[in-house]
Amino acid sequence: MIISNNNPHFSDLLRSPRLMLAFGFGSGLSPKAPGTMGTLAAVPIWLLMAPLAPELYWLLGLLAFFLGIYLCGSVSRQLQTHDHGGIVWDEFVGFWIIMPFVPSHSWSLIWGFVLFRLFDIVKPWPVSWFDRNVQGGLGIMLDDVVAALYAALATVVIGYLGFF
C-alpha cells in the first residue's frame, strides 16, 4: 500500500488492519495532539478490561505490548519514519498500564489520564533516553511504558503521602 507523504488517511486505515490498530482506530489521525486523542480512544477499551481478574488484565496488557512492538515497527517501516506522531497504539498500552495503580474513586479516570499524558509529554529521563536511543517498534513502545511506570510510581507515592 502506498501512502502519499507518509500521512495516511482514514481510507488507508480501512484497507489495513495494521494501520487501523497502530493509528488507534483513527484517533492518531487527529491534526492536534494525536497522542492525547489516542489515549482518549484507549478509555473505552480500558472500561471493558477494568473488571477483569488482575491476571487476565495483565496478560492482555502484555499481549498488547508485544502486538504493539510488531504494529508500531511495521507501520513505521511502511511510513518510512520512526515513531510517526499518528501511531498511538503505544499510548493505548501506556494508559492501560497506569490505570490499575490509580485508586478507585470518582477522579480515577482523569487522574490516570492526566498523569500518563504528563510523563509521556515531558519525557523525564530515562523516558527520553528510550525515545531517542531505542529504534523500531520496541523503542516506540518502551518510552510510553516507562512513562506509564513513572505515572504509576507517582500515584503510589501520592497515595502513601495520604492524598488519596
Side-chain angles (χ1 to χ4, degrees):
M1 173 185 312
I2 297 173
I3 298 172
S4 63
N5 300 332
N6 298 334
N7 289 314
H9 299 282
F10 194 72
S11 60
D12 297 315
L13 274 57
L14 291 174
R15 290 190 298 273
S16 170
R18 285 181 305 114
L19 280 172
M20 182 63 80
L21 288 173
F23 275 73
F25 306 101
S27 60
L29 295 175
S30 173
K32 301 260 185 193
T36 300
M37 295 299 115
T39 306
L40 278 174
V43 170
I45 300 169
W46 171 75
L47 290 170
L48 294 172
M49 292 171 56
L52 297 174
E55 298 82 10
L56 184 54
Y57 184 96
W58 288 112
L59 177 62
L60 287 175
L62 189 62
L63 291 173
F65 172 75
F66 285 113
L67 175 63
I69 292 170
Y70 165 74
L71 286 173
C72 297
S74 174
V75 169
S76 283
R77 285 188 300 277
Q78 180 181 357
L79 299 177
Q80 300 175 343
T81 183
H82 175 68
D83 205 359
H84 185 287
I87 295 175
V88 295
W89 185 259
D90 50 332
E91 272 80 13
F92 276 52
V93 174
F95 178 72
W96 297 335
I97 288 171
I98 174 62
M99 290 310 292
F101 294 94
V102 175
S104 295
H105 58 68
S106 59
W107 291 94
S108 63
L109 180 62
I110 295 168
W111 179 259
F113 182 90
V114 168
L115 268 182
F116 171 65
R117 292 308 304 145
L118 173 71
F119 285 104
D120 189 34
I121 291 167
V122 172
K123 296 193 185 310
W125 187 91
V127 178
S128 57
W129 185 90
F130 284 110
D131 187 48
R132 285 189 314 271
N133 295 296
V134 181
Q135 297 300 307
L138 181 62
I140 294 169
M141 293 299 297
L142 272 181
D143 73 301
D144 286 77
V145 167
V146 176
L149 293 175
Y150 265 117
L153 179 62
T155 298
V156 169
V157 168
I158 290 168
Y160 179 76
L161 294 174
F163 290 100
F164 294 128

